[in-house]
Amino acid sequence: MCDYSLHALQTRLAVEGEHLIVHRFRTGSIGLAAAPPSSDNPEARPKTGFWRKFFQLEEKPSARCAVCIPPGAKLLLHNISRRLQKQSGSGETQEVTFTQLSAEPSTYRDAVRFRNGLTLLLQRLEPGQLVDVISLAGEEEPVPVSMTELVA
């Protein structure tokens, strides 16, 4: 659900319909975090003011909570690079399935699988890339190793 590299951080389970962002945490690892509120929605913007700043109540990007995704969850990946679009046969936005590649300790295991079978470690996504949680209750389908191309 959450890569081994994120266990030193505060974590929580994702919520269906949630907007996430690919984030580089203070540990150096890449994972998912809650996307900042949209700047076009004034109600969603964090309140600012003297006391909030005085007590440092603003969320610092380095203090973000890691959001964990269960295997088989369906995600909508946005802002896919042109290089990855060619490899995955997708457009700029693509539905992907969250998967874990291994149970081995001290190994990056969180990944996304594209429709064409391409499997990409979360560590290879671009920080700042947006991800929407479509469904957490998906059932992961086993993919034959010969059909899976792992992009490390």
Side-chain angles (χ1 to χ4, degrees), residues 19-93:
H19 304 291
L20 303 175
I21 189 166
V22 176
H23 179 71
R24 183 176 302 279
F25 290 93
R26 62 179 163 76
T27 60
S29 291
I30 292 176
L32 298 173
S38 173
S39 60
D40 58 347
N41 180 359
E43 293 299 312
R45 279 190 235 135
K47 306 287 187 244
T48 57
F50 172 77
W51 290 112
R52 184 167 281 284
K53 289 180 183 173
F54 181 78
F55 286 105
Q56 298 181 339
L57 297 175
E58 301 293 326
E59 181 182 303
K60 296 178 179 151
S62 61
R64 281 199 172 137
C65 175
V67 178
C68 301
I69 309 286
K74 300 295 182 191
L75 306 174
L76 192 61
L77 190 59
H78 299 275
N79 313 99
I80 298 172
S81 70
R82 292 206 187 276
R83 177 188 60 79
L84 189 52
Q85 286 179 40
K86 288 179 185 176
Q87 286 181 311
S88 64
S90 70
E92 190 175 329
T93 301

Side-chain angles (χ1 to χ4, degrees), residues 4-148:
Y4 87 94
S5 61
L6 303 175
H7 287 184
L9 303 170
Q10 181 179 0
T11 61
R12 69 170 177 81
L13 184 61
V15 176
E16 286 186 7
E18 185 173 19
H19 304 291
L20 303 175
I21 189 166
V22 176
H23 179 71
R24 183 176 302 279
F25 290 93
R26 62 179 163 76
T27 60
S29 291
I30 292 176
L32 298 173
S38 173
S39 60
D40 58 347
N41 180 359
E43 293 299 312
R45 279 190 235 135
K47 306 287 187 244
T48 57
F50 172 77
W51 290 112
R52 184 167 281 284
K53 289 180 183 173
F54 181 78
F55 286 105
Q56 298 181 339
L57 297 175
E58 301 293 326
E59 181 182 303
K60 296 178 179 151
S62 61
R64 281 199 172 137
C65 175
V67 178
C68 301
I69 309 286
K74 300 295 182 191
L75 306 174
L76 192 61
L77 190 59
H78 299 275
N79 313 99
I80 298 172
S81 70
R82 292 206 187 276
R83 177 188 60 79
L84 189 52
Q85 286 179 40
K86 288 179 185 176
Q87 286 181 311
S88 64
S90 70
E92 190 175 329
T93 301
Q94 174 75 50
E95 183 177 316
V96 296
T97 303
F98 186 84
T99 188
Q100 289 189 323
L101 301 177
S102 167
E104 292 293 318
S106 304
T107 317
Y108 291 124
R109 61 178 172 247
D110 290 351
V112 292
R113 181 171 293 126
F114 289 82
R115 287 187 192 138
N116 71 351
L118 175 73
T119 302
L120 182 70
L121 285 170
L122 228 53
Q123 298 298 312
R124 300 298 176 233
L125 295 177
E126 292 292 324
Q129 195 165 0
L130 299 175
V131 178
D132 292 331
V133 180
I134 298 171
S135 170
L136 296 177
E139 188 174 310
E140 190 170 13
E141 299 174 19
V143 175
V145 176
S146 63
M147 295 187 66
T148 303

